[in-house]
Amino acid sequence: MKPCPVCKTQKNLIKKDSYRQGNVYECATCYTGLFNGELPTYAGADIEEKNYMKFLKRFILTYEFGYLKKRQPMRILDIGSGSGELALQLSKFGHDVTCNDIDKKSLARISKRQKLKTLYGSIEKLSIPSSSFDAIILRHTFEHMDNPNKVIQSIRRALTKKGVVIIMLPNYDSLCRKIVGKCWSGFSIPSHRYFWTIPGLSAFLKNNGFRIVKKKTLFSHYGLPLNLTFFVKHPVIRVLLLPVFFLLGGMLEIVFTQIGKGQNLFIEARKL
Ligand SMILES: [Zn+2]
């Protein structure tokens, strides 16, 4: 059994759910969730999005990361860059972006089409010179990391003095997760390894030499609108209720986000 990354305890882990691939546990002290099954064997995910998805994603990324447009140009490392859409957006904001992934095909495409710098390999195995980046971003990536303590120390080393780490991932403390339970999309077993909350991730970052400068939850259509469709198993009822899921689910998800219980959590922390 792996320990809680925040409290380092193995004693206070309570079994919450069973899956074919393993069990999900929750730390009774800090409420961080963890999955103890085997790591999937695939190396990364080659994601090429359709043009309409890229169009939609540009709106989503502006909502999530648009505030970085106002920052002075930074050297940014995008860990888990996937299709490269976020990196492209950030470079349009004037930043100098390097994409990092464990999928070679994705990186080759990014380097050829988007003309962005790329770095292949797991961050904790790369020896990035210290003070190489002003900001390191992990969008829907950190929850995949099986060794968050090693990863955050590698990130800390690669950051300049007062550099920032920005982490966005599914919020284990979201009301959506509490409503739909095991059907929650954020579990994504077995590729998601840890399930973070804002207090848990904040404590983890503080323990690793960071100061929190921004924390909030963000709206996502992956929240209640989509998760309700997973929750209702009957295919006909599911189709009939689709407009209700998207309208009512969407409105509720907006309210959840306003009260800090939205689908995704967002934390920016500065290196001390
Ligand atoms: Zn804990």
Side-chain angles (χ1 to χ4, degrees), residues 15 27 54 118 124 131 141 176 183 225 245 252 255 257 259-260:
K15 189 170 151 189
C27 173
K54 283 184 185 168
T118 60
E124 72 279 20
S131 302
T141 303
C176 173
C183 299
F245 292 156
L252 282 171
V255 175
T257 307
I259 59 167

Side-chain angles (χ1 to χ4, degrees), residues 23-254:
N23 301 321
V24 169
Y25 292 84
E26 187 180 277
C27 173
T29 311
C30 70
Y31 304 107
T32 301
L34 57 106
F35 173 64
N36 78 332
E38 289 285 307
L39 262 176
T41 48
Y42 68 85
D46 177 29
I47 308 159
E48 189 175 19
E49 280 151 343
K50 299 257 183 288
N51 280 338
Y52 73 91
M53 266 311 292
K54 283 184 185 168
F55 181 74
L56 188 69
K57 203 163 174 187
R58 240 165 272 158
F59 281 102
I60 296 170
L61 291 172
T62 304
Y63 162 64
E64 295 167 352
F65 292 89
Y67 78 102
L68 293 178
K69 207 174 185 172
K70 294 185 194 131
R71 296 268 172 101
Q72 291 290 316
M74 297 187 285
R75 286 168 300 161
I76 298 180
L77 180 67
D78 177 12
I79 300 182
S81 48
S83 65
E85 284 303 309
L86 173 63
L88 190 65
Q89 191 94 329
L90 294 169
S91 70
K92 281 181 186 163
F93 292 168
H95 302 297
D96 174 14
V97 190
T98 303
C99 295
N100 165 243
D101 210 291
I102 55 166
D103 188 81
K104 270 187 181 166
K105 262 171 85 182
S106 301
L107 288 180
R109 192 182 303 118
I110 287 170
S111 146
K112 195 177 160 200
R113 290 197 200 155
Q114 276 115 314
K115 309 273 184 251
L116 294 170
K117 283 182 272 184
T118 60
L119 189 60
Y120 169 72
S122 305
I123 177 82
E124 72 279 20
K125 289 176 191 155
L126 293 167
S127 38
I128 298 175
S130 61
S131 302
S132 294
F133 296 99
D134 306 303
I136 295 184
I137 299 180
L138 300 98
R139 181 186 185 272
H140 290 301
T141 303
F142 197 58
E143 69 276 30
H144 293 262
M145 306 289 195
D146 207 37
N147 42 8
N149 285 287
K150 274 189 186 165
V151 169
I152 201 67
Q153 281 309 319
S154 306
I155 288 172
R156 196 172 182 281
R157 240 189 337 270
L159 281 173
T160 50
K161 198 180 166 196
K162 294 190 178 174
V164 292
V165 61
I166 302 171
I167 300 178
M168 188 198 140
L169 46 78
N171 176 20
Y172 185 61
D173 198 25
S174 66
L175 282 176
C176 173
R177 201 271 297 173
K178 288 176 182 165
I179 292 167
V180 303
K182 203 179 167 181
C183 299
W184 186 52
S185 58
F187 281 124
S188 204
I189 300 293
S191 68
H192 287 184
R193 315 301 294 175
Y194 286 96
F195 311 103
W196 297 93
T197 64
I198 288 185
L201 188 55
S202 302
F204 172 82
L205 290 167
K206 283 178 194 164
N207 294 345
N208 281 284
F210 287 90
R211 180 173 62 87
I212 310 300
V213 290
K214 198 186 268 283
K215 57 181 177 184
K216 59 182 175 180
T217 64
L218 291 174
F219 174 87
S220 170
H221 61 288
Y222 269 91
L224 211 53
L226 195 78
N227 278 288
L228 282 175
T229 66
F230 301 148
F231 191 57
V232 175
K233 300 287 177 215
H234 195 286
V236 179
I237 297 175
R238 188 189 289 169
V239 170
L240 287 174
L241 288 176
L242 268 184
V244 179
F245 292 156
F246 277 86
L247 280 171
L248 188 66
M251 282 189 317
L252 282 171
E253 190 59 50
I254 289 170

